[in-house]
């Protein structure tokens, strides 16, 4: 078990220590659930009142919050408690699943594949023809990586993930369980005789930049002609759909159950709320935000926040909701 003193913790977070405690810190927890050997955090004044009833011995708090530590308890004041707590979580992160050997004997690896130095391949995984894994790549058990795919250094692929042929994956990526990369896009046209649907082939691929994280059960479809692209630093939640030929700029965020239809373009730093849906061939420019549950039918200007179904300027939509509430009374 990890056990840290207040001095150990403050050496890592570099804050202002207020108060003293004899307790060692062995973990982190929410303020209402924490025990005397756990730390918590207060990043908003509205949670400060919970501190007096909390059993936690340590709270990481924003330095603009006035609070007394209390008996045998400590506050460490920092500029941003949320970011500091994220750093502190790294100190308490449990060890990842153990690999007895770097390449499990039950893994199937094509002779033409190149496995970089320090890379590990778990039991039951399949590495196809001409696949290239960089250095220190971790492939957990039961992952499928098909032909001519390249994966950069230090990328982690969790169990159940399927990466289809010709995908290009950057370094320091994380793909959680059951991610699908490079499946066919959703494309059909009525047949000439009007009696069925004709499948449109998708012959492109998926290109994913560096430090991209994709949550469990999310899907990124291959392009119809060229590539579906996710820029560096994008963070994708669970159960997200990114359709064929979408292009995401740098550091975009998509929350759970949101989806992009085909050929959507996101600029840099776009934020998509949970369960939001974006119509095909729509452009959402850099810095824009789409509220949760919204349906975007038209382009969104840079820096703008839209909300509702169909999505409009958030302030306009809030005015509409207020007006409707008044009419309902």
């Amino acid at each position: 078990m990890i056990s840290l003193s207040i001095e150990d913790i403050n050496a890592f977070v570099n804050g202002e220590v207020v108060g003293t405690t004899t307790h060692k810190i062995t973990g982190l927890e929410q303020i209402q659930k924490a025990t005397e050997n756990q730390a918590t955090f207060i990043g908003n004044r509205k949670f400060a009142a919970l501190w007096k009833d909390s059993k936690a011995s340590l709270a990481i708090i924003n330095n603009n919050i006035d609070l007394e530590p209390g008996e045998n308890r400590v506050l460490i004041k920092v500029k941003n408690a949320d970011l500091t707590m994220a750093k502190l979580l790294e100190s308490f992160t449990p060890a990842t699943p153990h690999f007895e050997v770097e390449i499990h004997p039950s893994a199937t690896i094509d002779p033409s594949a190149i496995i970089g130095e320090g890379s590990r391949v778990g039991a039951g995984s399949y590495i196809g023809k001409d696949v290239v894994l960089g250095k220190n790549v971790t492939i957990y058990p039961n992952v499928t990586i098909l032909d001519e795919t390249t994966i950069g250094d230090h990328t982690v692929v969790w169990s159940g993930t399927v990466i289809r042929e010709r995908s290009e994956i950057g370094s320091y990526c994380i793909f959680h369980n059951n991610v699908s990369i490079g499946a066919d896009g959703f494309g059909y046209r009525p047949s000439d005789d009007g009696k069925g649907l004709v499948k449109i082939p998708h012959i492109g691929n998926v290109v994913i930049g560096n430090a991209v994280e994709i949550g469990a059960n999310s899907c990124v479809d291959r392009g119809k002609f060229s590539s579906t692209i996710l820029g560096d630093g994008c963070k994708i939640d669970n159960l997200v759909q990114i359709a064929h030929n979408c292009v995401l700029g740098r550091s975009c965020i998509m929350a759970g159950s949101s989806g992009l239809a085909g050929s959507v373009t996101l600029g840099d730093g776009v934020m998509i709320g949970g369960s939001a849906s974006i119509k095909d061939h729509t452009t959402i420019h850099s810095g824009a935000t789409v509220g949760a549950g919204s349906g975007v039918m038209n382009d969104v200007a840079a820096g703008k926040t839209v909300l509702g179904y169909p999505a409009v300027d958030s302030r306009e939509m809030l005015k509409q909701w207020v007006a409707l509430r008044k009419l309902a009374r």
Side-chain angles (χ1 to χ4, degrees), residues 53-304:
D53 295 321
S54 176
K55 293 182 173 58
S57 296
L58 168 64
I60 310 294
I61 73 169
N62 282 1
N63 55 20
N64 61 355
I65 297 176
D66 293 324
L67 201 60
E68 292 299 320
E71 184 179 355
N72 201 21
R73 298 205 293 174
V74 171
L75 303 175
I76 298 181
K77 295 188 173 185
V78 296
K79 183 178 181 180
N80 188 316
D82 291 328
L83 288 178
T84 300
M85 198 64 169
K87 292 180 182 178
L88 191 56
L89 281 166
E90 295 176 6
S91 298
F92 290 93
T93 301
T96 55
H98 178 65
F99 279 74
E100 286 288 345
V101 293
E102 287 190 344
I103 308 297
H104 196 277
S106 68
T108 300
I109 301 176
D110 190 273
S112 64
I114 298 173
I115 310 298
E117 180 183 355
S119 291
R120 303 177 296 175
V121 180
S125 289
Y126 175 82
I127 310 295
K129 183 177 182 294
D130 294 325
V131 167
V132 177
L133 303 185
K135 297 179 180 178
N136 301 306
V137 174
T138 299
I139 307 297
Y140 281 102
N142 299 314
V143 166
T144 298
I145 303 174
L146 295 181
D147 302 4
E148 300 178 31
T149 289
T150 61
I151 297 180
D153 300 345
H154 299 280
T155 285
V156 176
V157 183
W158 285 91
S159 297
T161 292
V162 176
I163 301 176
R164 288 277 301 273
E165 60 275 15
R166 303 189 309 281
S167 295
E168 300 174 23
I169 313 298
S171 299
Y172 295 94
C173 294
I174 302 172
F175 297 162
H176 291 279
N177 299 84
N178 301 314
V179 164
S180 171
I181 303 293
D184 287 357
F186 187 71
Y188 299 89
R189 291 292 182 269
S191 61
D192 289 338
D193 59 12
K195 295 181 179 180
L197 297 172
V198 176
K199 178 178 173 62
I200 297 174
H202 285 72
I203 62 173
N205 71 339
V206 173
V207 177
I208 293 177
N210 299 318
V212 173
E213 185 164 0
I214 301 180
N217 297 296
S218 290
C219 302
V220 182
D221 292 344
R222 68 173 56 250
K224 183 190 297 182
F225 304 113
S226 52
S227 302
T228 301
I229 300 173
L230 276 64
D232 293 348
C234 288
K235 309 300 180 186
I236 309 299
D237 198 358
N238 300 338
L239 297 166
V240 169
Q241 163 66 12
I242 298 175
H244 62 89
N245 290 106
C246 288
V247 176
L248 281 63
R250 294 168 57 90
S251 300
C252 295
I253 295 175
M254 294 184 64
S257 299
S258 59
L260 308 180
S263 300
V264 168
T265 299
L266 306 184
D268 295 340
V270 171
M271 300 178 66
I272 307 294
S275 299
S277 302
I278 317 300
K279 179 183 174 292
D280 60 295
H281 297 275
T282 298
T283 298
I284 300 178
H285 292 277
S286 295
T289 299
V290 177
S294 299
V296 176
M297 305 294 184
N298 300 295
D299 292 354
V300 178
K304 190 172 183 179

